[in-house]
Amino acid sequence: MVKDNQTPNRNSWLVRIMSVVCACILWVYVMNEQNPITTKTFQVPLTAQNLAEDMVVKDLPETVNVKVSGTRSQIAVLREGDIKAFIDFTDAPKGRNTYNVQASVRLGEVAEVTPSLLQLETDSLAEKTMTLEPRIVGVPNSGVTVSQMDLSPTQVTIKGASGRISQVDKVLVMVDISHHDRNFSAEATAVAVDRTGREMYDVKVVPGKIKTTVTIVRQLGTNDFPVKANMSGKLPDGVSIKNVKITPDSVRLTAEPKVLGGIREILTAPIVLNNITSDVELKMPLQIPDQVLADQHSVIVEITLQKGTEQQDANKAGGNQNQ
């Protein structure tokens, strides 16, 4: 009779396979217990990739949140520099469109990007040469003032979206003369502003730093003047202004006495009422006359509104009191 030698071999292989399976299960269990999967959210810079050289993105957020999933040991050594967040602008058309925010990570996996979608506007890149205009910030020591200010260079190039470049009204050089009582030289920042005097942060000025040489002389007059809200337009029907609060409500001006003599009040930049439907708080530039120094160049204007019914109730209450 011939013995069947295959049965012991078959059992031997079965035992080996079961041993390997058990070892794998045990390894997975130990790894999950000692080095479990976890997540962590990182705030990382958002970059634009594959954007055409003659295009620019308006209002691109500086950062996004990226949630990364990985083992505890991977997450422990992960740094913000190991994570990249970007938007691919390959063949992006001009105008406003929705884009996916993508991310990659050196260790682990990207679990979530917040926000994952952004509505952004792309525009053609434009540039323009403009002449600098000096503006003085602060008030010098008592008894002195600025007689002359020289800039180097006197012209700069502004760069940005073509739609924004067309809105630039001036490029100002803000020179702080606080606590100075003699001639001095310093570097000052050049900023682009629109017609209302608001700074246009998305317009780049090249060069951004300007060398200034300031000549200090004596003496000008100084006085405080009330600030008045310069309102234009018309509120929607049924809505009226209940109160206007300006903070601060006065500005200190320094200039020649004859110039100060012709000033009664300082107006804010125009506040257009047409689209105001609820209480608002606005930071408004001041309309400072030429050849006049001011201790501040903007104020906070708080406008409180009331509905027509509120006005009627107030009138009735006032009538009752008079009776």
Side-chain angles (χ1 to χ4, degrees), residues 301-319:
V301 180
E302 299 177 58
I303 301 177
T304 305
L305 302 182
Q306 62 182 1
K307 300 291 179 62
T309 55
E310 297 176 356
Q311 179 65 45
Q312 294 173 4
D313 293 342
N315 292 339
K316 289 180 180 179

Side-chain angles (χ1 to χ4, degrees), residues 262-321:
I263 300 175
R264 294 292 176 265
E265 60 188 15
I266 297 298
L267 298 177
T268 67
I271 302 173
V272 181
L273 300 176
N274 300 61
N275 297 324
I276 297 179
T277 58
S278 60
D279 298 347
V280 293
E281 181 179 296
L282 306 170
K283 183 177 182 180
M284 300 301 301
L286 295 177
Q287 298 184 10
I288 306 298
D290 292 336
Q291 300 179 343
V292 175
L293 310 179
D295 65 345
Q296 58 199 11
H297 288 262
S298 64
V299 294
I300 300 298
V301 180
E302 299 177 58
I303 301 177
T304 305
L305 302 182
Q306 62 182 1
K307 300 291 179 62
T309 55
E310 297 176 356
Q311 179 65 45
Q312 294 173 4
D313 293 342
N315 292 339
K316 289 180 180 179
N320 294 334
Q321 291 176 359

